[in-house]
Amino acid sequence: MSFPATSLRTIVLPRASALSNAVLIVGGVFFLAALAQIAIPVPGSPVPVTGQTLGVLLVGTTYGVSLGFATFAIYLLAGIAGAPVFAGQSYGIEKVVGATGGYLVGMLVSTFLLGLLAQKRLDQKFATALPSMLLGTLTTFTFGLLWLHQFTGQSWSWTINAGLTPFIVGEVLKIAIAGTSLPIIWRIVNRKHN
């Protein structure tokens, strides 16, 4: 199990082995599961506010395309198989095919996209990291809103009010956290490697 060298992970661990990648995947799954437990129910919405989207921004970018995608895919499979990794320690296939499924699928796509953007070194500078994180978040919410609208059969007005509006402030904070912390980490790492 090898992954191409194009991310923060490959700079910090240049000689990754199957064992180190497996440890990173397991660690990433636990990280995502822990952030998913930071969950605040939204009245009138089946979608809670969680810390999970911050985890997606960080895992997708720092792990890179292949390892980030593999980590989130295994996170989904663990939840489907019965591990209580989703918000509120929930699990099961109904979380992936139910009202919140589009957000989970969007996060999977987002980890891949963020890895591609990191490959182009867009996570290394503030001017490019923030738009990258915004694009990752928009990807998650695009899938989530389309799925929520289709699944519930509600109007677009209801879908936006239940699936986007309550999340805006939190997502802006998560984008700011990921989009500012990664360039700072890159500066430190680059100083140590130069």
Side-chain angles (χ1 to χ4, degrees):
M1 179 165 56
S2 70
F3 297 97
T6 56
S7 63
L8 186 58
R9 186 244 345 145
T10 57
I11 298 298
V12 176
L13 293 172
R15 293 193 183 122
S17 65
L19 178 61
S20 66
N21 283 333
V23 168
L24 286 169
I25 288 171
V26 170
V29 168
F30 276 106
F31 178 64
L32 290 163
L35 287 176
Q37 302 320 306
I38 302 170
I40 303 165
V42 175
S45 174
V47 185
V49 173
T50 70
Q52 194 175 20
T53 49
L54 175 60
V56 167
L57 296 177
L58 295 172
V59 167
T61 304
T62 59
Y63 277 21
V65 176
S66 301
L67 189 61
F69 185 84
T71 300
F72 201 84
I74 290 171
Y75 167 78
L76 286 178
L77 291 173
I80 291 167
V85 297
F86 300 138
Q89 296 186 335
S90 60
Y91 54 87
I93 188 72
E94 63 276 356
K95 291 295 178 180
V96 179
V97 298
T100 59
Y103 295 91
L104 293 169
V105 171
M107 288 181 218
L108 179 65
V109 174
S110 185
T111 56
F112 184 83
L113 175 63
L114 288 162
L116 286 176
L117 297 173
Q119 218 171 4
K120 298 183 180 304
R121 302 176 190 261
L122 298 182
D123 60 329
Q124 295 185 23
K125 296 182 180 172
F126 295 111
T128 53
L130 289 166
S132 295
M133 300 304 145
L134 176 61
L135 188 56
T137 300
L138 290 174
T139 300
T140 296
F141 277 84
T142 299
F143 277 85
L145 291 169
L146 289 170
W147 194 299
L148 183 63
H149 176 70
Q150 183 65 34
F151 182 84
T152 62
Q154 297 282 350
S155 69
W156 273 109
S157 174
W158 180 90
T159 302
I160 297 298
N161 286 328
L164 176 64
T165 306
F167 304 90
I168 293 173
V169 172
E171 294 308 314
V172 168
L173 288 172
K174 294 171 200 173
I175 290 167
I177 290 167
T180 58
S181 63
L182 287 167
I184 291 168
I185 292 168
W186 269 109
R187 283 183 186 174
I188 294 166
V189 168
N190 285 334
R191 270 191 223 125
K192 289 185 178 183
H193 283 84
N194 288 332

